[in-house]
Amino acid sequence: DAKTTQPNSMESNEEEPVHLPCNHSTISGTDYIHWYRQLPSQGPEYVIHGLTSNVNNRMASLAIAEDRKSSTLILHRATLRDAAVYYCILRRGNDMRFGAGTRLTVKP
Amino acid sequence: GAVVSQHPSRVICKSGTSVKIECRSLDFQATTMFWYRQFPKQSLMLMATSNEGSKATYEQGVEKDKFLINHASLTLSTLTVTSAHPEDSSFYICSARLTGGSGNTIYFGEGSWLTVV
């Protein structure tokens, strides 16, 4: 199964944009890129997903490199409620496995 | 987004007893559901994939006789931890696949804390 690499932790200031990187150099053509986030003692929350093109929704934007070997989740204006562990996952069919994720801290 | 609900959210059971956790997709039908386990400060670990009306597929190292999974309807999957022991204490999370649309999004339940005493 294709793996992803994310920084262990990142910090951001409130009201500023945050760019969370993810490397997935072994991605295959049928793998979807999914992002979830998890607050303590809660199940993961869906954030966004894409295949080849950049995607935008009310929560975030997903920028996918042209070769698809990396992607970036963009939170346009971080709030304190965005502090969480963010997981970048490659999904192939029903196969979706979590890596360690990036712990985002948002400073007021 | 679609809603997946788990029950109970917290349960305490005695060592040697069995406990059942339910996972329901509230506003969509899910032919495929997934069960994960998460220990404190660790990531989620996939335990098994269940398809409605058929046997679950377990990940390597997960005892299928200990963690019984039933997916009898398109909106309900259950995980039964049999003969529970303290080391089974964990956060159990289910997810369900919403088919159709772009990319078949998977939604997660709120999780269930199991404490075995």
Side-chain angles (χ1 to χ4, degrees), chain A:
Chain A
D1 51 310
K3 287 185 165 43
T4 61
T5 304
Q6 299 176 253
N8 289 334
S9 62
M10 289 185 66
E11 279 189 359
S12 169
N13 293 318
E14 198 176 11
E15 305 278 313
E16 291 185 356
V18 183
H19 290 232
L20 297 165
C22 181
N23 286 320
H24 28 79
S25 58
T26 58
I27 192 171
S28 77
T30 57
D31 290 341
Y32 282 85
I33 302 163
H34 285 248
W35 283 82
Y36 288 83
R37 68 183 185 184
Q38 186 181 27
L39 295 170
S41 298
Q42 295 186 25
E45 176 187 23
Y46 169 78
V47 178
I48 201 167
H49 78 279
L51 183 61
T52 56
S53 303
N54 294 343
V55 184
N56 299 296
N57 66 21
R58 63 175 180 81
M59 288 182 72
S61 295
L62 176 60
I64 301 174
E66 200 168 325
D67 63 4
R68 300 211 323 130
K69 294 188 176 186
S70 65
S71 61
T72 303
L73 177 71
I74 302 165
L75 306 180
H76 296 286
R77 286 182 66 198
T79 70
L80 297 178
R81 288 179 294 180
D82 291 323
V85 177
Y86 286 78
Y87 295 100
C88 166
I89 304 161
L90 299 183
R91 185 182 66 74
R92 183 181 302 170
N94 280 334
D95 195 315
M96 192 165 85
R97 295 158 199 270
F98 285 71
T102 296
R103 181 174 298 278
L104 175 66
T105 302
V106 181
K107 296 184 289 184

Side-chain angles (χ1 to χ4, degrees), chain B residues 58-86:
Chain B
Y58 290 82
E59 294 299 305
Q60 192 171 9
V62 178
E63 300 173 59
K64 59 182 178 182
D65 294 330
K66 179 171 182 62
F67 299 99
L68 301 180
I69 292 171
N70 183 280
H71 192 165
S73 80
L74 288 172
T75 58
L76 174 64
S77 176
T78 60
L79 167 68
T80 301
V81 183
T82 63
S83 187
H85 291 287

Side-chain angles (χ1 to χ4, degrees), chain A residues 32 34 36 38 41-46 49 58 87 89 91 93-101 103, chain B residues 32 34 36 38 42-44 46 49 51 59 91 93 97 102-111 113:
Chain A
Y32 282 85
H34 285 248
Y36 288 83
Q38 186 181 27
S41 298
Q42 295 186 25
E45 176 187 23
Y46 169 78
H49 78 279
R58 63 175 180 81
Y87 295 100
I89 304 161
R91 185 182 66 74
N94 280 334
D95 195 315
M96 192 165 85
R97 295 158 199 270
F98 285 71
R103 181 174 298 278
Chain B
T32 306
F34 310 85
Y36 293 80
Q38 186 176 31
Q42 294 186 20
S43 186
L44 284 77
L46 179 65
T49 301
N51 292 295
E59 294 299 305
F91 191 47
I93 308 168
R97 180 174 175 175
S102 172
N104 298 330
T105 306
I106 294 174
Y107 293 94
F108 286 80
E110 318 95 315
W113 279 106

